[in-house]
């Protein structure tokens, strides 16, 4: 019997609010408990162990009980099984008897605990035999009672009054037939159709894709298996968003990301800084988005059907297509089937693409790992912390001191571990490192200094950096980026250095099999100002015809991933994918066709403000009432105005009349872009002048010469002595360094605003407006 129990696993997860009973059995999913108390719902490892589960993440202090009232099929004596594990047993930690196991908990029935303590045995998920219990009244109250505060975990509880009915088999499947039967779920999933795009993953890339597509008239389903949006950029993980936005060839790309990006001052920041509620509010405000929080995608339906486990490459299925994605509600276990002509994988792990048979790659060794950051504070009184004999055996010299009371991004492990199959072990190793470090601070050689220290937050949701990458028509390389290889579809500016993480040798000696502190090695040849434009062809699968991808699972090499993986950059990928999806819907075509046939249309859409929208793809695009300045708030992509002499008035500060286009193609401009408009268009632009003190100033105008520029641009300078118009031939190279030409010396007063106005009237070509410079004249 016990051999069968060991084989019975798969966390009968996928919660149900009402457990279902057959005549002799009752199955209760822990995640379906009415009140979780202090227990947390963990959905990270469903694909590995079959189910979500409840986690007692108490930072060394037992959490409040999780409770649920259930109805038994009949009174009688039942044998009780709890699906759980001793989570440190895989590391050989704790004791043989389990008395030192950190994840101990009890099951209470109508307030009385079973004699058996759970979480004390088994390196794998299994049915822990809890003995028998006599049920007199059919309705009883169950409770999970945490005993340690150190990450005890419970997946499901199974009651059986038939000695011939063992717990269901551990076959690793998600929502298998036996589970549906015991939980009373209907056999067929709920159909969710009518979408133009299904987005799986609610991090920055998924949010960018969903919002962008929705605003371009596409009906979107956004599926996220956590209760909050943001992924690594949520309050659960707290990696501050990096990567510069609103710059480069398409300075409007990134405006959507700026709407919801965090403003954290540190990483990890505070709960409030990550704005979970703000992110959700922005998504729910989009009428074209149906948001499915707490929904886990668990399989795909493709045509032609494939066999998982076959070669991940070398097999060309150009006609392969995703028909549907299946997901279940991690609170109720209701399963749903999402259909659409287009899908985008924003899972970070390339999960949807992998299931669909997409070509993929994963660096076999030396990948970037998973982080679990943490924070601590100091009170007025002494605070104790339990001894942690099961954690990593650390003293203060074994880890970097957590400056600013933060365990930062470099608390990272799993470099040579399988980031998919061993994900839970990687997270748990990180937890052992954090608790071992704090034990050193409280109970070992750091004890005298940290008497009042206490933990305030430890991430239990891991922050992964690298796993599968799905292959597109372009596989971007490090050489492409540093040599600035130009692609006609280059669109998303990547401004982060090529930042790869490795174990830090100083701290790797003690635990060479799985070091837990990283060092970042940077290749800083990436253009940090303008950004390297990542091509669109990295954002769709080369062999699954209707699959986009955005985020860190796009088509790049391991080295190139070091620059594109940061969150704001990933979010901009989503913005591009969303706009491309609208083109696919208009022309009933596939992602590859957008490049082959409709690239110019995509590039035009990328010039639109993030707030531009249309109800359907067939409606006219409506522009926002107020445009954001078409420039980044970060370092300029052109000459830095702060480093130029005198007073600089850049084009984003100017007042425009008529239609002006922003450009960055001619290098040497000031700030983030320049403006241009055709002769005779009736357009004008006014640079308002406010000097700090009265006096004479040389007025200079910045422009970039070109053969189509105006030969007689009228430039009118208004000063205290009146107005004067100067004609400028913009086909000639500006004679002054930094691309300026002098318009003469004028008198200005601090209390009387002046101006410099360019007009297109009778200009004789395109008028170029970049910046105005005022140099004091002694």
């Amino acid at each position: 019997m016990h051999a069968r129990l060991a084989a019975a696993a798969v966390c009968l997860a996928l919660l149900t609010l009402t457990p279902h009973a057959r005549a002799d059995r009752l199955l209760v999913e822990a995640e379906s408990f009415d009140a979780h108390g202090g227990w947390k719902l963990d959905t990270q490892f469903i694909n590995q162990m079959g189910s979500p589960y409840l986690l007692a993440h108490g930072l060394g202090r037992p959490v409040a009980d999780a409770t649920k009232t259930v109805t038994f099929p009949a009174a009688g004596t039942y044998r009780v099984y709890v699906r759980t594990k001793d989570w440190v047993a895989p590391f050989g930690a704790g004791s043989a008897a389990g008395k030192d196991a950190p994840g101990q908990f009890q099951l209470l029935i109508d307030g009385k605990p079973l004699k058996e303590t759970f979480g004390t045995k088994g390196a794998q998920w299994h049915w822990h035999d809890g003995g028998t219990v006599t049920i007199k009244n059919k309705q009883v109250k169950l409770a999970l009672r945490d005993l340690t505060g150190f990450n005890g975990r419970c997946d499901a509880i199974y009651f059986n009054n038939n000695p011939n009915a063992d717990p269901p088999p551990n076959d690793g499947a998600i929502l298998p037939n036996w589970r549906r039967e015991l939980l009373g779920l209907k056999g067929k999933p709920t159909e969710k159709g009518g979408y133009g795009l299904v987005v799986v993953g609610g991090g920055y890339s998924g949010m960018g894709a969903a919002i962008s597509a929705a605003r371009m008239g596409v009906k979107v389903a956004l599926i996220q298996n956590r209760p909050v949006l943001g992924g690594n950029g949520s309050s659960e993980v707290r990696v501050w968003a990096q990567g510069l936005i609103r710059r480069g060839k398409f300075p409007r790309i990134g405006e959507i990301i700026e709407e919801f990006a965090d403003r954290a001052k540190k990483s990890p920041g505070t709960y409030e800084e990550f704005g979970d509620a703000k992110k959700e509010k922005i998504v729910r405000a989009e009428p074209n988005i149906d948001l499915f929080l707490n929904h886990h995608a668990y399989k795909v339906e493709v045509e032609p059907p494939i066999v998982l486990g076959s070669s991940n490459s070398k097999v060309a299925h150009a006609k392969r297509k995703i028909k549907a994605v299946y997901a279940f509600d991690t609170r109720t276990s209701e399963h749903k089937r999402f259909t659409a002509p287009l899908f985008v994988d924003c899972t970070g792990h390339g999960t949807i693409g992998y299931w669909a048979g997409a070509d993929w790659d994963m660096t076999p060794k030396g990948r970037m790992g998973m982080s679990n950051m943490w924070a601590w504070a100091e009170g007025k009184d002494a605070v104790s912390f339990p001894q942690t004999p099961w954690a990593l055996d650390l003293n203060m010299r074994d880890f970097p001191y957590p400056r600013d009371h933060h365990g930062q991004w470099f608390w990272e492990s799993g470099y040579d571990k399988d980031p998919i199959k061993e994900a839970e072990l990687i997270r748990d190793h990180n937890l052992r490192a954090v608790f071992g470090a704090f034990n050193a601070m409280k109970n070992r050689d750091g004890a005298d200094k940290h008497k009042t220290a206490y933990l305030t937050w430890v991430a239990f949701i891991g922050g992964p950096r690298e796993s599968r990458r799905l292959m597109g028509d372009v596989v971007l390389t490090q050489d492409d980026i540093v040599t600035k290889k130009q692609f006609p579809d280059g669109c998303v500016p990547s401004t982060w250095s090529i930042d790869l993480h490795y174990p830090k040798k100083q701290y790797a000696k003690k635990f060479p099999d799985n070091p837990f502190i990283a060092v970042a090695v940077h290749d800083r040849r990436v253009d940090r100002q303008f950004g390297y434009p990542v091509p669109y062809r990295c954002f769709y699968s080369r062999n699954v015809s209707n699959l986009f991808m955005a985020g860190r699972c796009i088509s790049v090499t391991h080295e190139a991933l070091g620059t594109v993986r940061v969150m704001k950059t990933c979010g901009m990928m989503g913005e591009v994918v969303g706009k491309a999806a609208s083109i696919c819907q208009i022309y009933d075509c596939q992602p590859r066709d957008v490049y082959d046939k409709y690239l110019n249309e995509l590039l035009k859409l990328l010039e639109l403000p993030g707030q531009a929208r249309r109800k359907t793809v067939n409606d006219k695009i409506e522009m926002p009432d107020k445009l954001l300045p078409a420039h980044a708030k970060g370092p300029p992509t052109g000459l830095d105005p702060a480093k130029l002499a005198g007073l600089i008035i850049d084009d984003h500060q100017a007042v425009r009349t008529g239609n002006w286009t922003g450009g960055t193609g001619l290098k040497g401009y000031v700030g983030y872009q320049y403006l241009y408009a055709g002769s005779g268009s009736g357009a004008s632009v006014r640079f308002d002048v406010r000097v700090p003190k009265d006096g004479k100033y040389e007025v200079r105008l910045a422009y970039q010469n070109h053969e189509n520029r105006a030969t007689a641009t009228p430039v009118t300078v208004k000063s205290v002595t009146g107005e004067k118009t100067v004609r400028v031939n913009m086909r000639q190279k500006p004679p002054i360094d930094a691309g300026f030409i002098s318009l003469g010396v004028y008198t200005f007063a601090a209390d009387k605003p002046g101006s410099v106005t360019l007009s297109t009237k009778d200009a004789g070509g395109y008028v170029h407006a970049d910046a105005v410079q005022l140099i004091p004249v002694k």
Side-chain angles (χ1 to χ4, degrees):
M1 175 176 178
H2 291 293
R4 287 196 303 246
L5 295 183
V10 159
C11 158
L12 314 144
L14 304 66
L15 336 140
T16 178
L17 291 177
T18 303
H20 185 72
R22 293 194 352 179
D24 53 0
R25 292 184 284 175
L26 173 68
L27 172 64
V28 184
E29 296 287 0
E31 52 269 35
S32 73
F33 271 41
D34 304 317
H36 288 179
W39 294 68
K40 307 294 185 182
L41 179 61
D42 197 334
T43 61
Q44 300 171 91
F45 315 115
I46 294 172
N47 293 337
Q48 290 75 49
M49 51 81 66
S51 171
Y53 58 81
L54 290 187
L55 182 76
H57 188 57
L59 310 185
R61 298 180 292 272
V63 304
D65 292 356
T67 60
K68 182 175 182 65
T69 299
V70 299
T71 301
F72 278 77
T77 300
Y78 289 79
R79 183 165 288 278
V80 186
Y81 301 96
V82 176
R83 190 159 189 261
T84 183
K85 68 187 293 189
D86 175 358
W87 68 270
V88 299
F91 308 102
S95 67
K99 63 183 180 68
D100 294 327
Q104 299 180 51
F105 66 95
Q106 295 174 316
L107 173 63
L108 281 65
I109 299 178
D110 280 337
K112 183 178 181 181
L114 299 181
K115 293 182 180 180
E116 185 74 9
T117 298
F118 300 97
T120 58
K121 61 179 69 172
Q124 304 298 325
W125 283 95
H126 69 291
W127 290 104
H128 188 149
D129 189 342
T132 60
V133 62
T134 298
I135 302 298
K136 296 180 180 179
N137 300 313
K138 294 195 332 183
Q139 190 173 76
V140 302
K141 182 178 181 180
L142 305 180
L144 297 175
R145 177 156 297 170
D146 176 30
L147 299 178
T148 68
F150 282 121
N151 299 85
R153 53 203 71 184
C154 177
D155 170 43
I157 305 163
Y158 176 72
F159 297 90
N160 165 33
N161 69 358
N162 183 341
N164 297 317
D166 290 338
N170 180 13
D171 55 10
I174 298 173
L175 279 184
N177 290 335
W178 58 261
R179 188 184 310 232
R180 293 182 186 139
E181 179 186 355
L182 285 173
L183 296 178
L185 297 175
K186 61 183 181 180
K188 291 185 178 181
T190 302
E191 292 290 338
K192 304 296 291 186
Y195 298 108
L197 179 69
V198 172
V199 181
V200 183
Y204 271 56
S205 58
M207 291 180 67
I211 296 171
S212 175
R215 290 181 181 176
M216 286 296 99
V218 179
K219 186 67 175 176
V220 178
L222 175 56
I223 301 171
Q224 164 72 335
N225 69 356
R226 298 300 305 160
V228 298
L229 294 164
N232 283 351
S234 71
S235 66
E236 295 185 319
V237 185
R238 303 190 190 179
V239 178
W240 56 3
Q242 294 296 304
L244 300 176
I245 57 176
R246 297 174 55 199
R247 62 190 55 237
K249 295 170 66 176
F250 301 100
R252 295 292 182 188
I253 296 298
E255 289 186 356
I256 290 175
I257 306 309
E258 189 167 47
E259 292 180 39
F260 61 77
D262 69 76
R263 301 292 189 270
K265 298 178 179 63
K266 297 178 181 178
S267 187
T270 65
Y271 170 88
E272 294 77 13
E273 286 178 314
F274 286 89
D276 295 341
K278 177 183 178 181
K279 290 182 175 71
E280 183 175 342
K281 182 179 179 180
I282 289 172
V283 169
R284 291 197 185 278
E286 296 296 332
N288 278 336
I289 298 178
D290 287 344
L291 176 60
F292 295 89
L293 292 175
N294 296 297
H295 279 69
H296 181 80
Y298 66 95
K299 73 174 182 178
V300 302
E301 184 180 329
V302 298
E303 55 182 16
I306 60 170
V307 178
L308 278 180
S310 60
S311 174
N312 64 310
S313 61
K314 309 296 184 184
V315 181
H317 292 282
K319 301 294 184 181
R320 183 173 293 159
K321 184 178 181 181
I322 299 176
K323 292 180 63 179
V325 164
Y326 291 75
F328 68 86
D329 189 319
T330 56
R331 303 155 301 179
T332 68
S333 291
E334 179 189 2
H335 54 139
K336 299 169 184 176
R337 179 177 180 267
F338 293 83
T339 54
L342 299 165
F343 297 83
V344 54
D345 190 329
C346 298
T347 64
H349 294 293
T351 304
I352 303 303
Y354 173 74
W355 287 337
D359 290 348
W360 61 276
D361 192 16
M362 185 166 67
T363 301
K365 295 287 184 180
R367 291 176 300 273
M368 291 175 281
M370 175 196 294
S371 69
N372 287 81
M373 296 185 291
W374 55 289
W376 59 285
E378 297 177 37
K380 294 182 180 179
D381 302 319
V383 181
S384 64
F385 185 74
Q387 297 280 350
T388 59
W390 42 266
L392 295 192
D393 182 12
L394 300 177
N395 292 306
M396 296 297 292
R397 65 178 179 275
D398 296 325
F399 58 91
Y401 186 76
R403 64 180 186 271
D404 298 326
H405 298 82
H406 289 79
Q408 299 179 2
W409 61 266
F410 45 76
W411 288 78
E412 173 183 347
S413 72
Y415 313 95
D416 293 336
K417 305 300 180 183
D418 190 315
I420 309 295
K421 297 177 181 178
E422 297 180 281
E424 188 177 23
L425 291 175
I426 295 171
R427 191 278 307 271
D428 290 347
H429 182 75
N430 285 341
L431 293 179
R432 292 178 67 227
V434 170
F435 292 133
F438 202 67
N439 181 63
M441 292 171 62
K442 294 292 295 182
N443 300 320
R444 292 188 173 182
D445 50 339
D448 290 341
K449 184 179 178 181
H450 300 100
K451 294 182 184 298
T452 65
Y454 60 95
L455 287 171
T456 58
W457 175 78
V458 176
F460 74 91
I461 302 294
R465 289 185 173 87
E466 180 178 6
S467 54
R468 299 187 194 100
R469 292 167 278 108
L470 304 178
M471 299 294 100
D473 282 344
V474 170
V475 181
L476 195 68
T477 70
Q478 181 177 16
D479 285 344
D480 293 337
I481 296 167
V482 299
T483 62
K484 299 183 179 181
K485 181 176 179 179
Q486 295 300 302
F487 294 92
D489 52 337
C491 53
V492 170
S494 186
T495 57
W496 199 248
S497 66
I498 295 178
D499 172 10
L500 300 174
H501 293 190
Y502 304 94
K504 193 167 186 176
K505 293 181 180 179
Q506 176 183 353
Y507 303 111
K509 296 178 182 178
K510 196 167 185 178
F511 298 95
D513 180 59
N514 199 356
F516 62 94
I517 297 294
V519 62
V521 178
H522 295 269
D523 182 340
R524 301 188 185 277
R525 292 177 291 172
V526 177
D527 187 337
R528 297 295 301 272
Q529 302 288 320
F530 185 80
Y532 176 78
V534 180
Y536 163 74
R537 283 171 289 172
C538 294
F539 305 153
Y540 63 82
S541 170
R542 67 190 182 193
N543 69 310
V544 177
S545 62
N546 63 341
L547 177 64
F548 288 106
M549 53 268 192
R552 56 187 175 82
C553 58
I554 66 165
S555 182
V556 294
T557 63
H558 163 74
E559 293 78 14
L561 182 65
T563 178
V564 303
R565 63 180 173 79
V566 292
M567 284 180 295
K568 288 185 180 179
T569 304
C570 290
M572 289 188 287
M573 299 174 196
E575 290 189 36
V576 171
V577 163
K579 289 178 168 59
S582 72
I583 293 175
C584 289
Q585 184 166 326
I586 290 171
Y587 295 106
D588 189 23
C589 68
Q590 302 300 332
R592 177 180 282 119
D593 297 324
V594 174
Y595 175 77
D596 289 340
K597 301 176 182 179
Y598 308 110
L599 180 59
N600 287 337
E601 293 192 38
L602 174 62
L603 300 183
K604 288 179 182 178
L605 290 184
L606 300 187
E607 294 176 351
L608 292 177
Q611 286 281 351
R613 61 179 66 238
R614 55 190 173 193
K615 293 181 180 179
T616 74
V617 295
N618 298 314
D619 289 319
K620 182 179 178 181
I621 294 175
E622 299 176 2
M623 300 295 282
D625 294 334
K626 186 177 180 180
L627 288 177
L628 290 174
H631 69 282
K633 292 183 178 179
T637 57
L639 301 176
D640 189 347
K643 296 180 181 179
L644 298 176
L647 174 66
I648 299 294
I649 309 160
D650 201 6
D651 60 83
H652 73 271
Q653 300 167 286
V655 179
R656 311 176 200 176
T657 301
N659 295 322
W660 290 86
T661 302
T664 56
L666 299 176
K667 303 307 180 204
Y669 54 86
V670 176
Y672 304 95
Q673 65 167 16
Y674 51 79
L675 302 174
Y676 60 92
S679 178
S681 63
S684 64
V685 60
R686 186 183 77 246
F687 294 80
D688 290 326
V689 174
R690 291 183 179 272
V691 295
K693 62 180 180 178
D694 299 352
K696 292 184 176 181
Y697 293 82
E698 180 185 11
V699 179
R700 298 175 178 178
L701 176 69
Y703 68 91
Q704 290 293 299
N705 60 295
H706 191 269
E707 61 186 10
N708 69 359
R709 291 292 184 253
T711 57
T713 301
V715 184
T716 300
V717 180
K718 180 181 178 181
S719 65
V720 296
T721 59
E723 294 185 358
K724 179 181 179 181
T725 299
V726 178
R727 295 274 179 173
V728 177
N729 184 350
M730 292 187 168
R731 296 186 185 181
Q732 296 178 351
K733 183 178 180 180
I736 302 175
D737 289 344
F740 286 90
I741 188 172
S742 178
L743 303 177
V745 176
Y746 302 83
T747 301
F748 293 92
D751 62 348
K752 293 183 180 180
S755 63
V756 178
T757 302
L758 285 74
S759 172
T760 59
K761 185 177 180 180
D762 301 324
Y766 280 91
V767 172
H768 180 121
D770 189 359
V772 167
Q773 181 183 43
L774 276 74
I775 305 293
V777 177
K778 296 181 180 180

